Amino acid sequence: KNYQATVAAGLGLINGLAEYGSDALSDLGEGILMHIIEVINGSPVSPPQLALQAFAKVCPYVREDTVKLIAQSLIKLLSAAIIYDNQSAVALGELFESVGRSFPDRVAQWSADIMSNWTNEYMSFVDQRTAKDNAVIQVQFPSQMLTNAAKSILALYSGYFEVKGQPWSGEFLTKHIGTASTKSAADIGLTCLALRALGYASIRGVLPQDSDLVDQIRNLVSSKDDDMRSEAATAMGNYAGSHPEMLSELFEHAAAAPDGLTALGLFQAVKVAVDYVVGNKKDSAVASQMWPQIVQYVQNTQKSVADTIAQSLAVFAISFPKTYVQLLASSIDASGENIHAKIIFITAFRTLLADKQLSGTCEEQIKVVLPSVLSNIGDSDINIRRLSLLAMYTIIQTRPALIKDIV
């Protein structure tokens, strides 16, 4: 504990010195950086946030050759089996952004090294997944490693574009996205990395509207490869989260999808967009744009739809209960004879009821509309009756107080 406290105090001092600029660090930067690397390499879990911040502060005051020597060790951190906490993840991004600003001429090479490092990790994962002796053991997709690599490349180029005074461009990523029907494992790995990074660029609001890029990503939602299809759906959802007017277009393509997997991928993209904008950002203005697009699609559907749409509708009610709990309940009534639409809306309401962290406000709103929703237990359609009974069972199990005056 004393050692950790001393290290933390030392790193804090370095961060403080950095505020004074080159006068404080110009002669000390090289030695300080080597001590920081020792701390990072000696960390049994994710590198300390202070160490990553200190590294970022010292970068502008050391020689390129010094950073070049430790670049590979730094890049290997990205593929370590580490779950970065939010603060350390932010500090890691700040570090790579500082490296990109301080050494712009090295950005292309370091980006290539990160890509190569990720590709090797992905190919190792594919080998394990396809190995005959792993038929019973489920090998987990290295999502955290992919996140580290994608965010680091994005940060590198953000620093690069800033110091060069150039507008942000995603060309360094889009060149790795292709629509060839046959890809090697290495190609698939790079495509997944490019898609994950483009998704993060969308979240940061730096990815401009580009219809050709949207078409490319949407085409990959139809990929026969599970990993590419999943990453494409997520990237598409992140992009739609920044451009919510796109939801109707996603539904149109889902309706015309040549197969169920493609439609499922596009529905997943919708859920990603809703989770980000409504569930995380709590953006009520954008939520009000997205809700009618989803409801209109459901009301017009004449076939079964993936549960992801019901889950998306539930997110609205959970995030903004005063507005959307009532709207969700009224949508059930408004479905009329459209059994498929009614099933989706009741499923969404049941998803809402099953949430274990509902706010008091949300429970109050549910109590108001619950009699109307449960009245569907007497519906003429057996599927509606069954779902309504399941909804009642869910609330009895989770929040019996809300129903004691009804039944």
Side-chain angles (χ1 to χ4, degrees):
K1 290 183 179 179
N2 289 336
Y3 171 76
Q4 291 175 345
T6 302
V7 168
L11 293 171
L13 178 61
I14 293 169
N15 283 322
L17 284 172
E19 299 299 325
Y20 292 95
S22 58
D23 290 342
L25 291 176
S26 56
D27 296 328
L28 302 173
E30 303 289 328
I32 288 174
L33 185 59
M34 299 313 295
H35 284 299
I36 293 172
I37 291 301
E38 287 181 16
V39 172
I40 290 176
N41 288 338
S43 300
V45 289
S46 62
Q49 175 195 359
L50 281 173
L52 297 172
Q53 289 174 335
F55 195 155
K57 296 284 181 61
V58 171
C59 260
Y61 310 111
V62 299
R63 297 191 308 270
E64 181 177 338
D65 287 346
T66 303
V67 175
K68 183 179 177 181
L69 284 173
I70 60 178
Q72 287 304 315
S73 296
L74 182 60
I75 290 170
K76 284 181 180 179
L77 283 175
L78 305 179
S79 61
I82 290 170
I83 302 298
Y84 287 82
D85 58 44
N86 289 336
Q87 291 180 327
S88 292
V90 170
L92 187 68
E94 292 172 349
L95 167 57
F96 275 95
E97 200 161 324
S98 177
V99 170
R101 279 194 302 268
S102 303
F103 309 104
D105 293 339
R106 298 290 304 171
V107 164
Q109 180 57 53
W110 284 333
S111 176
D113 290 343
I114 292 173
M115 288 183 174
S116 176
N117 193 60
W118 156 251
T119 300
N120 291 335
E121 292 290 341
Y122 179 75
M123 291 175 69
S124 175
F125 157 72
V126 171
D127 288 343
Q128 293 179 52
R129 184 170 60 182
T130 56
K132 291 181 179 179
D133 56 353
N134 278 343
V136 180
I137 302 173
Q138 185 175 5
V139 184
Q140 190 171 4
F141 181 80
S143 185
Q144 182 63 40
M145 301 176 194
L146 179 55
T147 292
N148 294 342
K151 288 187 174 179
S152 298
I153 287 178
L154 194 60
L156 266 178
Y157 273 94
S158 294
Y160 171 85
F161 290 131
E162 180 183 335
V163 79
K164 290 290 187 180
Q166 297 176 4
W168 199 92
S169 169
E171 185 178 351
F172 67 99
L173 295 170
T174 55
K175 65 183 180 182
H176 296 291
I177 297 179
T179 55
S181 58
T182 304
K183 284 177 174 285
S184 66
D187 291 334
I188 291 172
L190 282 176
T191 300
C192 289
L193 175 56
L195 288 166
R196 181 73 66 98
L198 286 168
Y200 290 142
S202 294
I203 290 174
R204 291 182 58 176
V206 297
L207 191 64
Q209 284 188 293
D210 185 335
S211 58
D212 290 338
L213 175 60
V214 171
D215 289 342
Q216 280 186 298
I217 296 175
R218 191 172 55 244
N219 285 337
L220 287 175
V221 176
S222 304
S223 171
K224 294 181 180 180
D225 181 84
D226 292 342
D227 298 333
M228 275 201 299
R229 187 172 61 251
S230 175
E231 290 300 323
T234 301
M236 191 81 258
N238 287 329
Y239 191 88
S242 299
H243 306 283
E245 68 280 358
M246 279 186 57
L247 289 187
S248 295
E249 183 181 336
L250 289 179
F251 285 127
E252 289 176 10
H253 285 281
D259 56 73
L261 280 177
T262 300
L264 187 62
L266 292 168
F267 291 142
Q268 183 61 35
V270 172
K271 187 173 188 302
V272 169
V274 170
D275 284 344
Y276 172 61
V277 174
V278 182
N280 297 329
K281 286 182 67 178
K282 300 293 192 290
D283 191 326
S284 59
V286 179
S288 65
Q289 291 179 257
M290 301 173 85
W291 173 266
Q293 295 181 69
I294 301 176
V295 169
Q296 182 180 10
Y297 173 78
V298 174
Q299 289 175 338
N300 291 337
T301 190
Q302 296 297 324
K303 59 182 179 181
S304 299
V305 174
D307 283 347
T308 48
I309 297 302
Q311 293 162 11
S312 297
L313 290 166
V315 171
F316 285 86
I318 293 167
S319 300
F320 302 105
K322 288 185 177 180
T323 301
Y324 293 103
V325 171
Q326 176 64 51
L327 286 176
L328 180 57
S330 60
S331 295
I332 298 173
D333 295 334
S335 298
E337 300 300 317
N338 188 336
I339 301 302
H340 295 294
K342 189 172 282 191
I343 285 173
I344 296 166
F345 288 127
I346 294 177
T347 302
F349 199 86
R350 187 184 171 216
T351 303
L352 168 66
L353 296 175
D355 191 279
K356 296 180 180 179
Q357 296 181 328
L358 292 181
S359 65
T361 301
C362 194
E363 290 190 356
E364 290 172 5
Q365 296 298 315
I366 289 172
K367 189 171 184 178
V368 171
V369 302
L370 201 53
S372 172
V373 174
L374 294 183
S375 67
N376 289 285
I377 291 173
D379 195 273
S380 59
D381 184 87
I382 188 172
N383 293 306
I384 301 299
R385 294 200 301 272
R386 181 181 62 83
L387 277 174
S388 301
L389 283 168
L390 286 173
M392 183 173 71
Y393 177 76
T394 299
I395 203 162
I396 289 172
Q397 291 293 312
T398 57
R399 293 171 179 83
L402 295 182
I403 202 172
K404 66 179 183 179
D405 297 329
I406 300 174
V407 296

